[in-house]
Amino acid sequence: MNYHEHADLALLPELAKLAPAEFAGFVELDKIVGRTDGAIPQKYRELLALAVAFTTQCPYCLDVHTANAKRAGATREEVAETVFIAAALRAGAAVTHGTLALKLFDAAR
């Protein structure tokens, strides 16, 4: 079995059929990324979506939002910088969770 294929997105209608209310709610929430009337310009909305996709490791999100970012005027350099901004925050979260581990270690019996 092959994982993470673009063609898998063709199964979205089946998900919608199986859980229509939940799917409709998700679709409405997902629309905020593509808003063009918000304070954040479309290119930056897509770069933000990419940063989240990098940290959540969602290949389908990468597929959709990379293309959207390009259409919104993002450059390869901006996408590359977004990769490392996301990586830095992901690493930062690991480090700061290390402080929680120390606190939990000290509290353990």
Side-chain angles (χ1 to χ4, degrees), residues 36-108:
T36 58
D37 62 343
I40 300 171
Q42 188 61 38
K43 177 171 83 168
Y44 301 121
R45 295 177 93 81
E46 292 299 340
L47 290 171
L48 285 163
L50 276 178
V52 172
F54 295 141
T55 60
T56 60
Q57 299 176 330
C58 175
Y60 306 106
C61 300
L62 290 173
D63 187 353
V64 169
H65 294 292
T66 300
N68 288 349
K70 184 175 183 177
R71 280 193 291 276
T75 65
R76 286 176 58 112
E77 292 81 7
E78 288 171 322
V79 170
E81 287 185 17
T82 300
V83 168
F84 292 105
I85 291 168
L89 290 186
R90 182 82 179 224
V95 170
T96 57
H97 273 76
T99 63
L100 175 58
L102 290 177
K103 183 168 103 176
L104 294 170
F105 182 89
D106 292 343

